[in-house]
Amino acid sequence: MADKDQQQVYPVVREAKNDDVESATVDSKELRKKKRLKCLAYVAAFAVFQTGIILIFVLTIMKIRTPKFRVRSATFESFEVGTPENPSFNLKMDAQLGVKNANFGNYKFHNSTIVFFYDNTPVGEAVVRNTKAGWRSTKKLNVVVDLSSRDLPSNMQLGNDISSGLLTLNTRSRLNGKVQLIFIFKKNKSIDMDCTLTINLAEKALRGISCK
Ligand SMILES: *[C@@H]1O[C@H](CO)[C@@H](O)[C@H](O)[C@H]1NC(C)=O
Ligand SMILES: *[C@@H]1O[C@H](CO)[C@@H](O)[C@H](O)[C@H]1NC(C)=O
């Protein structure tokens, strides 16, 4: 009986063994395939991630932006204005200028001048000293300028402006300099200022600034 039992059991066991081995090899093949796919997916994801990082780097950090140069504010140390019949002005202005640098790197610029105009005639100028605007910041510069109607050709405009109570001046300047990105890449960049200042004569104060 024992013999017979064993003979009957054997094939079953062997069959079971074969099944196991076969399914095991199938399993491990599938597993390896899955692992390979997973690995490929990781590599692809990493490549996409890295490309994204490089793109962001190029599009934001490595991008050269033109700095902006403008008049930020102004006050007056002295303020003398004539009458509509006898128009003139003599003002001493403390102006704060700003160089706004949005780059990931310094903007260094050379000495320059800022000229103030009344009706397209220069009425005063000041020196803008060479310095630099740091990474993503605004460099503030203070200049003192004497504004005088002395050199103006006589015209009706000034009398009209004085009777209206508002004096309008233009400021122009150009800075020549360099943007230096992450200490390595340099690019020459010139920036222009073109602002219009409106002065309220009764308040002896600046009423508005608009820049192109
Ligand atoms: C810039 O101007 C200042 C005086 O305003 C002068 O001392 C300096 O040498 C100038 N720099 C250059 C590079 O010309
Ligand atoms: C940048 O400007 C300076 C003078 O300010 C000049 O010597 C230099 O050649 C310019 N560089 C480029 C790349 O244009």
Side-chain angles (χ1 to χ4, degrees), residues 111 127 129-130:
N111 278 349
V127 171
R129 282 292 305 275
N130 57 338

Side-chain angles (χ1 to χ4, degrees), residues 41-58:
Y42 282 141
V43 168
F46 185 69
V48 167
F49 175 73
Q50 209 172 31
T51 307
I53 293 285
I54 289 169
L55 266 179
I56 287 170
F57 191 73
V58 167

Side-chain angles (χ1 to χ4, degrees), residues 119-153:
D119 198 21
N120 288 319
T121 306
V123 291
E125 71 172 63
V127 171
V128 179
R129 282 292 305 275
N130 57 338
T131 180
K132 67 182 180 194
W135 295 44
R136 301 185 65 74
S137 66
T138 300
K139 178 72 181 180
K140 291 161 195 155
L141 309 158
N142 293 300
V143 296
V144 178
V145 59
D146 288 309
L147 304 167
S148 171
S149 59
R150 195 177 51 233
D151 298 333
L152 283 181

